[in-house]
Amino acid sequence: ERNRWERLIVFAEFWGEHSFAGEHVAEDEKHLTVFDLAPHKRGILGPIAFIQQCDRAGIEYPKYLGRRNWTRGFVEEVWRGEMEGVTFEGVVGKSGSGHDLIMRKAKTEQWVLAVRAKYDPERAKQIEES
């Protein structure tokens, strides 16, 4: 099935093996990983539609960890780095679609500590909340 979108906005992470908090190492091979697709005037695709579109197009996207309940216990498990499949930075959760999409982030303690060690408190807070 073909989509008849007028335009599509693609959101992607630019990264290299040693990238951290938006800073990159010149010598690293760089990658783009798509994390959101927004058809013109339709808002951001929900998780399942996003995965289907990426799979059809052969586009690399972050690992899908399945459906989860976003509870305090879940966030604490991510914080402690105990959940299988979680990156060093943490996870992004999404629910809904279009203009009703809900997104949340949960960071790992190790990532937060690394940011705080590298940056002054004001800058670290900005990075943590981004």
Side-chain angles (χ1 to χ4, degrees), residues 107-127:
K107 303 291 188 179
T108 67
E109 180 180 27
Q110 292 300 313
W111 183 84
V112 169
L113 291 174
V115 168
R116 290 177 182 172
K118 183 172 175 110
Y119 298 97
D120 66 79
E122 185 177 319
R123 181 67 181 131
K125 185 176 182 191
Q126 289 173 337
I127 293 168

Side-chain angles (χ1 to χ4, degrees), residues 21-52:
E23 293 185 9
H24 309 286
V25 175
E27 297 78 29
D28 279 357
E29 179 180 346
K30 305 301 186 299
H31 307 273
L32 283 174
T33 301
V34 174
F35 61 85
D36 273 322
L37 298 173
H40 184 61
K41 297 184 179 181
R42 296 185 185 187
I44 295 173
L45 294 181
I48 301 306
F50 170 79
I51 289 169
Q52 290 171 340

Side-chain angles (χ1 to χ4, degrees), residues 26-121:
E27 297 78 29
D28 279 357
E29 179 180 346
K30 305 301 186 299
H31 307 273
L32 283 174
T33 301
V34 174
F35 61 85
D36 273 322
L37 298 173
H40 184 61
K41 297 184 179 181
R42 296 185 185 187
I44 295 173
L45 294 181
I48 301 306
F50 170 79
I51 289 169
Q52 290 171 340
Q53 291 298 323
C54 288
D55 285 346
R56 283 186 197 131
I59 296 170
E60 178 184 340
Y61 56 90
K63 182 176 181 181
Y64 176 65
L65 301 179
R67 285 182 70 131
R68 308 290 176 109
N69 290 323
W70 198 271
T71 63
R72 180 178 300 241
F74 171 81
V75 172
E76 289 172 357
E77 193 175 348
V78 172
W79 177 256
R80 294 188 304 264
E82 297 173 349
M83 183 174 295
E84 187 176 333
V86 171
T87 67
F88 172 63
E89 186 173 345
V91 299
V92 174
K94 298 177 185 179
S95 178
S97 65
H99 300 290
D100 295 322
L101 187 74
I102 298 168
M103 291 188 275
R104 297 288 182 263
K105 289 183 181 180
K107 303 291 188 179
T108 67
E109 180 180 27
Q110 292 300 313
W111 183 84
V112 169
L113 291 174
V115 168
R116 290 177 182 172
K118 183 172 175 110
Y119 298 97
D120 66 79

